[in-house]
Amino acid sequence: MLSRVADSLYWLTRNVERAENNARLIAVKLTSRLENANPTEEMNQNWYELIEISGFQEVFDDEYDRSIDRNVIEFLLFSIKNPNSILNTITIARENARAVREIIPNELWESINSFYLNLKRQSHAPWTMEEVSDICEFVKKDSLLFQGIVEATMPRGDAYLFMEMGKHLERAEKAARILDVYYHKNLDSYQNKEIVEYHHWWSVLQSVSGHEAYIKTYRPLIKSRNVAEFFILNAEFPRSMMYCIQKVRNAFVALEDGHVEHYSESLAQELEHLANDLYDFSIEEILNQGAHAFLQSFQHRCMTIGLHITKTYYLGEVVIP
């Protein structure tokens, strides 16, 4: 496969996944806002957590003087200065799809093109806070439609495998970012700490649509230790770090037909070492060494894997915030 084609397919799915992740985070935060009829300034500042997860704090700080909900939502939804805004990521995804129209099914092109046109139209229209939830729902549904068409119509050849690598590497890295930002949040200053803590972890799980799956695994109690284990080490949940890295590794193995050549040796080693670490560590060992250090290291290793994918298959420049 030509490297330019592989590059477009890889970044096509990474950007659609990135847009969906932003929509999920905003939607969950909106739910929290609605449950607090009189939000305090401190709660408004909590919207800045979404900027930390996006990785573009400096860009946001240059554009806005306050991290109130409307500023954060505008930055994540439609800002042309935010490389990770939903509008920018879907614009890039559409251009990637256009570059490989002869490779992907026509239904997939029509899906991403319609996604872009609807989003562009919404970005030019005035929007209210009450409409944001509908926008996020539209983004999530169109992303899921896109993924469904990929799964239902794409042959399981090289094109599909590059798309798998892009999607799951993006998903793994974002899961680590979300958990890293929220895991050490100090909840001691709140009244009714137990209720606040429960809602906090409920929101974290909802950000990856994992609440129902978590409850089936751990029953009704939501504890930080169990949430960390669910995010990091659950081998069956499609958005856990372990599951996603294994999917990236499986795609690589299939691409190379089970062989490791000199040009792919570095990528093979990085994937093997990260996958083995996730299998070998218990959640107690991870928390004892420090969750923040582990999650930061995981994000760095995802970036390294992305760089190795680029070098191995001669893709375009990797930009991972």
Side-chain angles (χ1 to χ4, degrees):
M1 176 178 288
L2 293 174
S3 59
R4 67 168 181 81
V5 173
D7 177 74
S8 293
L9 293 166
Y10 174 81
W11 285 106
L12 168 58
T13 48
R14 284 206 73 158
N15 278 289
V16 172
E17 181 69 25
R18 196 170 290 183
E20 183 186 336
N21 287 331
N22 273 350
R24 289 180 182 277
L25 289 166
I26 295 170
V28 170
K29 206 58 143 175
L30 281 171
T31 301
S32 298
R33 179 181 184 269
L34 291 173
E35 291 179 355
N36 294 276
N38 298 300
T40 63
E41 182 64 22
E42 179 183 9
M43 291 172 64
N44 270 329
Q45 292 301 316
N46 287 344
W47 281 83
Y48 195 74
E49 295 164 345
L50 304 191
I51 304 301
E52 294 178 288
I53 292 171
S54 79
F56 283 93
Q57 297 97 312
E58 291 185 6
V59 178
F60 179 86
D61 292 341
D62 287 342
E63 291 297 309
Y64 303 96
D65 57 356
R66 299 175 65 202
S67 57
I68 58 174
D69 48 10
R70 188 174 182 87
N71 289 348
V72 172
I73 290 170
E74 181 181 53
F75 184 73
L76 293 178
L77 279 181
F78 300 129
S79 173
I80 61 173
K81 294 188 177 180
N82 173 14
N84 275 356
S85 73
I86 292 175
L87 178 60
N88 275 343
T89 53
I90 295 303
T91 300
I92 294 169
R94 186 214 191 198
E95 290 308 307
N96 286 325
R98 185 199 296 275
V100 291
R101 283 195 64 178
E102 74 282 5
I103 302 295
I104 61 176
N106 190 54
E107 289 173 277
L108 194 60
W109 161 251
E110 291 176 353
S111 169
I112 193 67
N113 189 48
S114 175
F115 193 170
Y116 163 79
L117 292 174
N118 287 334
L119 191 63
K120 188 74 172 177
R121 183 166 55 251
Q122 292 184 26
S123 72
H124 289 311
W127 54 272
T128 65
M129 291 297 295
E130 289 70 25
E131 294 171 315
V132 173
S133 179
D134 290 338
I135 296 173
C136 290
E137 195 63 26
F138 146 71
V139 171
K140 288 191 292 180
K141 285 183 176 179
D142 270 36
S143 174
L144 292 173
L145 173 62
F146 174 89
Q147 294 180 49
I149 294 173
V150 170
E151 293 301 317
T153 64
M154 290 284 293
R156 271 31 178 187
D158 289 356
Y160 175 82
L161 295 171
F162 275 107
M163 296 172 82
E164 278 283 279
M165 283 202 296
K167 178 176 75 173
H168 285 100
L169 186 61
E170 179 70 28
R171 189 175 288 182
E173 191 265 349
K174 186 53 66 73
R177 280 183 178 272
I178 292 170
L179 187 60
D180 192 26
V181 167
Y182 285 117
Y183 189 79
H184 295 292
K185 184 176 180 180
N186 185 0
L187 305 176
D188 292 337
S189 61
Y190 290 91
Q191 295 180 345
N192 302 319
K193 179 185 173 183
E194 290 186 1
I195 296 176
V196 171
E197 186 173 8
Y198 182 92
H199 180 72
H200 170 75
W201 290 117
W202 176 88
S203 297
V204 174
L205 290 166
Q206 285 292 87
S207 68
V208 293
S209 294
H211 179 254
E212 292 182 11
Y214 173 93
I215 293 299
K216 291 175 182 177
T217 304
Y218 296 98
R219 303 296 183 251
L221 294 177
I222 301 182
K223 297 181 179 180
S224 60
R225 179 262 183 210
N226 293 346
V227 173
E229 183 177 56
F230 183 75
F231 261 71
I232 299 170
L233 300 178
N234 191 296
E236 298 178 353
F237 179 59
R239 291 182 178 272
S240 79
M241 292 153 58
M242 175 182 283
Y243 181 95
C244 291
I245 291 301
Q246 191 56 55
K247 293 290 282 188
V248 176
R249 189 183 183 192
N250 290 346
F252 166 75
V253 170
L255 269 173
E256 296 301 311
D257 199 23
H259 303 293
V260 177
E261 306 293 345
H262 69 280
Y263 67 87
S264 62
E265 185 174 358
S266 295
L267 175 56
Q269 289 178 352
E270 288 290 341
L271 285 168
E272 182 179 4
H273 291 162
L274 182 51
N276 287 344
D277 283 350
L278 291 171
Y279 277 107
D280 291 342
F281 282 136
S282 68
I283 191 60
E284 283 72 26
E285 290 173 317
I286 290 172
L287 297 181
N288 286 339
Q289 70 172 274
H292 177 66
F294 177 86
L295 293 167
Q296 287 284 307
S297 173
F298 182 89
Q299 292 171 59
H300 177 75
R301 293 170 80 175
C302 284
M303 182 182 296
T304 301
I305 288 169
L307 292 170
H308 280 301
I309 291 173
T310 296
K311 182 178 179 181
T312 300
Y313 300 109
Y314 299 99
L315 307 187
E317 181 183 1
V318 172
V319 180
I320 306 177

